[in-house]
Structure formats: structure tokens, C-alpha cells
Amino acid sequence: MKKFGKIMGVIILCLVAIIGGYAMYLQATYYRIADHQSLVVKNPQKRELMAGKSYTATTYNVGFGAYNQRYSFFMDTGETKDGHHTRGKYGTAVSKQAEIQSTNYALKVIKKQHPDFALFQEIDTNSTRSFHVNQVQRAKQLFPNLASTFALNFHSGYLAVPLNNPHGKVRSGLLTLTGYQIKNAERRQYPVSSHFIEKFVDLDRAFVVLTLPVNNGHKLILINSHMSAYDKGGKMRAAQLKLLTHVMKVARAKGDYVIVGGDFNHALGSKIMTHFKTNQKIPTWVSKLDNRDLPAGFEIVRADNYWTTPTVRGTDTPYYPGKTYTTVVDGFIVSDNVKAKAHNIQTNFKETDHNPVKLTFQLIP
């Protein structure tokens, strides 16, 4: 018994040393990106926007190329209406082949739309979870004639969870492509949790502010945004929305046009939270955002198929139509000097956990 006790003591000490050493590693590799970071515009364009002309923009969270219909994510949990608890399985894409297939599919979906502006979220450059497939590079190769800006939205040291399929090192962010002149590109830092565990898995939420000249002397302020998802109680998302709306108001006060696109991680309206058929309860990651939460002079552009085509699915289980929780969290917000309509593009979540959204708009002269 003494010998057994000594062996157990050594094992416990080793485990404590490993866990302590790993916690030190995470803390040592942790850093926040400074706010107001200037971004490089690659392959810059010269064309200037024209007031009164019709343009299109798309927004698409490509889910780091992992989320085909069979995929579930280890951080997502849920509960069915009869009380059964669910949790996702994987920390990385299933395979490199599956990663490439999903990435190529998502990019080609947008290519078919021929957008003047393409906004992507959760698109990786060099991450364990996506088998180091450079999705940003692939997007640029598919759109060789467009200007591009990229900003980190999530970076981390090696995340050793789940133990059987570690999420690993992450380098992911926001990519914006356009065929028009960008005068300035800036990365704005969203507030995120400083909790010891949460801060390592919610790095480094941001939105990108692009300034594009318009032929009438005004500017289009185009914002690509991806808010936090794992924020129980919505405290961080409320702080993030406060910063975002402040930037929107300042731009509109100058007489500029404002368009915000992206993954808001809020159901875009209270009724849409429970609209689509499901056998699950509303997940804890869903908050509500509607026009009452926005400053005067701004509105969410409701898609023409808003009630029939969700833009996100729960990933605590594989996708089961009519059972998996779905809602609308992706889309666009515009200022009152922008005339716009939107359409949710139906992909049936074939290779991502989101459906893209297409905006058609005019800058009112």
C-alpha cells in the first residue's frame, strides 16, 4: 500500500507540473493586439465609387473550413426540448482533404455572386485546426483582381483541448476583398473577457473599418465584423456593440455612408430566435439584436427570404434539418443614406455552419 501511495503521489505531482507548466505557457504566449492598428491594402485598386450606382456585397463566415453537415464542434453545447444535453465532438477539421473541400466550396459560392465587396469571417491563415491550409491565400488566388485587407480576429498558443483532438494553434481573422479604391484600412479592437480561461479562447475579437472615396466627396465606411459567441449573459457582446455603434454614429455624423456586414452572433430580431423548426431549446450563445438596439439613422437590412432561410446552425450536433437549432445572425446594417436589399443564399449548410448573405445597395446622392 505504501508503494502504491508513493506511485500515486508521483503521478499526481507530474500531473500538477504538466498542468501548471501548460498554464504558464498559455500566459506567456498571450497578448492583445493594439487598437487602431493600420492594415496593409494589398493589390490596391483605383476605381472610385459612384453615388446612385448599384453595387453588391457578400458576407460569409466560412467556419475555418471544418463545418460540413456531419461536423460538430467541441465547445458548442445544447439541450433538446425533452432535456437531453448535447455537446460537439471535434477540435479540428475532420481531415485535410475535408478542410480543402469545404474551403473551396465556400469560396466558389461567393465567386458565383460576383460581388463588388466580399467580407469573410473565421478564415484561417496558419492554424492547427485547419491543417495549416491558408484559406486567405486561396481566396486571393480565386479573386486575383481585387484589393484585399486581412486582420487577425483570433490568435492563440496551442490549445490542448479536447485532449483527443486538440484545437491547437490558431491564426484566423477577417478578410475583405473589393475592386474599389480603399483610402484607409483600420483594425479596431473589440473588448473581450479577461477571465483566465475565456481570454485564451476568445482572442482577439475585432472589426475592420475601411474608408472608400465616393465621387460626390463623401466616403463609404465599410465595416467587416465578427462578434464574440461564447459570452454567457451577453456582457462582452453588449460592450462590443457599444463600441461598434459609436464608430457608426461618428461616421454618419460626418455625412458619410455606413455599411456594417458580418457575423453578429446575435439573432437579428427576437421572433427569429424561435422561428425555425427545431427540437432544441435556444442555445446559450444566442443573444438578440434588432433595430431598437441601433442608433437613430441605422437599420438591419432584412433579407427577402428572412423567414425561410436561416444563416447559422448549432454545431453541438451534426446538422439534422428540422431538428438542429437554426436562426439568422449574419447580415448587414446600413445608414439611412444607403438604399439596400438583401438575400440569404441557401447552401443547406453543406460545407459550413453558416449561409452567406448578399446585399444589393446604392449610395443615395
Side-chain angles (χ1 to χ4, degrees), residues 44-337:
Q45 303 294 300
K46 296 180 178 180
R47 283 193 298 170
E48 190 174 75
L49 292 167
M50 298 177 63
K53 183 179 177 180
S54 183
Y55 298 99
T56 59
T58 56
T59 180
Y60 200 5
N61 181 328
V62 297
F64 68 90
Y67 293 87
N68 58 39
Q69 291 182 335
R70 302 174 301 283
Y71 190 83
S72 62
F73 186 56
F74 79 103
M75 286 187 67
D76 277 351
T77 60
E79 184 179 357
T80 62
K81 291 177 180 178
D82 60 6
H84 177 68
H85 291 272
T86 55
R87 176 179 286 277
K89 177 180 179 181
Y90 298 100
T92 71
V94 175
S95 68
K96 187 170 184 177
Q97 181 181 0
E99 168 70 28
I100 293 172
Q101 177 177 314
S102 294
T103 297
N104 290 344
Y105 174 86
L107 295 177
K108 287 178 181 178
V109 166
I110 298 303
K111 183 74 172 179
K112 288 180 181 179
Q113 303 303 317
H114 304 286
D116 297 298
F117 302 89
L119 284 60
F120 295 98
Q121 303 86 41
E122 206 165 341
I123 186 165
D124 284 9
T125 60
N126 183 20
S127 303
T128 308
R129 65 184 189 175
S130 49
F131 289 85
H132 304 284
V133 172
N134 192 329
Q135 296 179 297
V136 171
Q137 184 181 61
R138 286 174 176 263
K140 291 179 182 179
Q141 289 171 345
L142 196 62
F143 297 90
N145 298 320
L146 302 184
S148 67
T149 63
F150 176 77
L152 282 173
N153 191 52
F154 181 22
H155 69 93
S156 73
Y158 193 93
L159 300 176
V161 288
L163 292 176
N164 64 332
N165 184 218
H167 199 56
K169 183 190 77 171
V170 179
R171 294 293 182 272
S172 185
L174 306 167
L175 175 67
T176 310
L177 305 172
T178 182
Y180 291 87
Q181 182 183 164
I182 300 172
K183 292 291 288 186
N184 186 64
E186 183 181 39
R187 180 190 182 278
R188 293 300 313 271
Q189 182 75 27
Y190 271 135
V192 297
S193 174
S194 59
H195 186 276
F196 182 72
I197 298 299
E198 291 176 356
K199 72 179 186 179
F200 297 126
V201 296
D202 204 22
L203 291 173
D204 222 325
R205 294 292 180 174
F207 59 99
V208 172
V209 182
L210 301 182
T211 302
L212 299 99
V214 183
N215 69 334
N216 61 3
H218 293 295
K219 302 178 185 68
L220 168 62
I221 306 303
L222 178 67
I223 298 175
N224 186 351
S225 175
H226 188 187
M227 290 180 168
S228 294
Y230 303 105
D231 176 31
K232 190 174 183 179
K235 183 178 179 181
M236 283 299 103
R237 276 178 285 192
Q240 292 173 3
L241 183 62
K242 183 178 180 180
L243 173 61
L244 176 63
T245 54
H246 171 72
V247 172
M248 292 160 53
K249 286 192 296 183
V250 169
R252 184 64 187 96
K254 294 178 181 178
D256 292 330
Y257 306 97
V258 182
I259 297 177
V260 184
D263 176 359
F264 295 96
N265 268 318
H266 291 74
L268 300 182
S270 57
K271 292 182 180 180
I272 206 69
M273 293 177 73
T274 56
H275 172 70
F276 296 102
K277 185 179 179 181
T278 179
N279 70 351
Q280 293 183 296
K281 297 179 180 178
I282 299 175
T284 57
W285 52 264
V286 178
S287 293
K288 174 186 68 67
L289 176 67
D290 58 30
N291 288 332
R292 290 172 294 181
D293 301 309
L294 301 178
F298 290 90
E299 68 174 359
I300 298 166
V301 184
R302 181 171 289 184
D304 54 13
N305 55 347
Y306 178 80
W307 295 111
T308 60
T309 307
T311 69
V312 68
R313 72 168 180 91
T315 58
D316 51 303
T317 69
Y319 178 55
Y320 301 111
K323 295 182 179 181
T324 300
Y325 180 82
T326 58
T327 188
V328 174
V329 301
D330 307 87
F332 293 89
I333 296 170
V334 301
S335 54
D336 54 9
N337 53 356

